[in-house]
Amino acid sequence: MLEGGLLGWATAALVRLDDEVPGILSRALTAAPARRQAIFASLAAHAVKAGVFDAGDDLFPVSFAEVVRHGRVTDILRTAFGDVPEGYPGLLERIGERPLDRPQDYLAIHQMLARNDVRAADALRGSGRITRRKLEVLSALDPRWHHASTVERIDTGAEAITFNAAVEFVQSVCSRATDEAVAQAIGQMRPTSTLPRLLDRFVRRADRLPPHPVPAGDNELRPLTTMRDHLEAARKYRNCLASKVGHVAAGRIAIAEFRGECLLEFRPLTHSGGWMFWLCHGPRNSLVPISTLNAAAAKCDVLGIPRQDEDTGGAGWRSYRRITQELEWD
């Protein structure tokens, strides 16, 4: 049972109307979804205007009660709202048998149609049963991304705001991620597709990567400066670098290949203090021979790229780092 009675917040209002015109409560309980939701929407309009249902004995005029009892769907809605936007009865029918959680939700749908928000209306029509959750997601979601595919896959308004920010990041690193391209990709999503995969596809085509700490043109140490470089290196070394392209695009890590034998990972220092040589990764994240590791570190020294103080902790610390380096790849 819903909070407030059998029909939630609408129960008390229906009972009062039934006192004026007997049969209204029965009519609401047995009506088809379209008519029932029209009644709920009308009650919601009066509730929001009056503030509370028990504001007085004259809250609902007799004429309104008669229309609710005997009128058609459009008559009921017109009595409460005046103008009934095209498509409003159809969207109400998609709510189902129960009323929405709040009276304001009905007004939100009415206002959406009244301002001719075609994208939002189409998103609701294509996303199955209309719920308060979907309305909250739609309200928080950037209008550019209004689509049934996003409304169905995002659970809360907070997640919608996060998605907005994620798309903004993707667009900042990938020139191909235009509004039109992102909207088209959303519209072409398959049932098994996910929003994270959609964004990842754009990030893998990023062409606005941060400056690399290793200068180009060196015969020993080759900086990976494009997404193609990173994806090819991931295949060559058979590691998880392909899953780190987002970190690369965000400037959280940088990768360079040393002598075609291993990958060097660099991480940024705080307060824009440049970069640090962090780890060395062999094929399949295997250990790199000491001679190669020392040569790579010496190369970084020549380039003026600092590294972790290997003297701290002594030989035991260095051995520990060599054994656990593959765990630190994350």
Side-chain angles (χ1 to χ4, degrees):
M1 183 178 295
L2 297 179
E3 183 179 354
L6 182 62
L7 296 175
W9 57 266
T11 303
L14 287 171
V15 170
R16 293 189 58 182
L17 285 177
D18 193 75
D19 290 339
E20 296 183 24
V21 179
I24 287 181
L25 186 56
S26 175
R27 181 71 163 169
L29 289 171
T30 58
R35 182 183 180 85
R36 183 182 299 191
Q37 290 299 331
I39 294 174
F40 295 150
S42 299
L43 295 177
H46 281 275
V48 173
K49 291 176 183 178
V52 291
F53 283 114
D54 58 350
D57 294 336
D58 297 325
L59 180 59
F60 299 108
V62 174
S63 59
F64 175 72
E66 290 287 350
V67 172
V68 171
R69 177 66 179 86
H70 302 291
R72 299 173 301 175
V73 169
T74 53
D75 296 331
I76 296 172
L77 293 174
R78 191 174 293 112
T79 299
F81 292 96
D83 294 331
V84 181
E86 183 179 356
Y88 191 44
L91 282 182
L92 292 178
E93 187 174 6
R94 300 187 71 84
I95 297 172
E97 297 184 351
R98 296 285 190 179
L100 290 170
D101 294 343
R102 303 177 305 174
Q104 293 86 348
D105 296 333
Y106 288 93
L107 272 67
I109 298 176
H110 181 274
Q111 293 165 1
M112 176 189 68
L113 294 173
R115 64 176 180 266
N116 197 30
D117 192 340
V118 177
R119 278 178 175 250
D122 288 345
L124 284 180
R125 290 191 186 97
S127 60
R129 189 172 70 87
I130 296 176
T131 63
R132 178 184 179 185
R133 177 193 66 79
K134 292 180 180 179
L135 293 174
E136 290 179 342
V137 168
L138 205 59
S139 176
L141 199 61
D142 189 300
R144 294 173 296 174
W145 323 133
H146 282 174
H147 194 280
S149 294
T150 50
V151 174
E152 289 175 338
R153 290 171 170 80
I154 298 176
D155 292 329
T156 66
E159 288 185 13
I161 294 173
T162 300
F163 180 76
N164 293 339
V167 175
E168 184 177 352
F169 165 73
V170 168
Q171 291 185 315
S172 72
V173 299
C174 180
S175 62
R176 299 182 185 181
T178 62
D179 290 353
E180 295 75 14
V182 174
Q184 183 179 20
I186 291 173
Q188 294 176 346
M189 292 184 71
R190 297 179 179 180
T192 56
S193 300
T194 66
L195 294 175
R197 290 177 183 172
L198 181 147
L199 297 180
D200 183 66
R201 286 199 298 271
F202 281 108
V203 169
R204 285 170 180 254
R205 292 182 285 175
D207 53 5
R208 296 169 177 164
L209 301 184
H212 202 284
V214 175
D218 191 286
N219 293 328
E220 284 191 314
L221 190 58
R222 180 178 70 91
L224 306 187
T225 57
T226 68
M227 279 301 168
R228 175 176 292 183
D229 289 342
H230 289 85
L231 295 176
E232 289 178 350
R235 288 190 291 269
K236 175 181 177 179
Y237 288 88
R238 298 185 181 183
N239 58 25
C240 58
L241 179 56
S243 67
K244 305 299 179 182
V245 291
H247 293 68
V248 173
R252 296 185 60 186
I253 64 173
I255 305 295
E257 185 178 28
F258 182 67
R259 296 178 178 174
E261 301 175 11
C262 59
L263 297 177
L264 305 192
E265 178 184 350
F266 303 90
R267 295 195 182 185
L269 298 170
T270 58
H271 307 299
S272 301
W275 293 78
M276 171 183 287
F277 171 35
W278 189 254
L279 286 175
C280 188
H281 305 278
R284 297 180 182 272
N285 287 340
S286 61
L287 295 176
V288 177
I290 286 290
S291 58
T292 303
L293 179 60
N294 290 338
K299 185 66 178 182
C300 291
D301 291 340
V302 172
L303 295 174
I305 300 175
R307 48 185 162 132
Q308 297 185 76
D309 186 0
E310 297 289 359
D311 292 331
T312 302
W317 165 244
R318 291 195 295 272
S319 299
Y320 171 79
R321 277 202 51 226
R322 280 184 52 76
I323 293 297
T324 61
Q325 63 176 314
E326 61 186 76
L327 300 180
E328 296 184 37
W329 182 250
D330 294 333

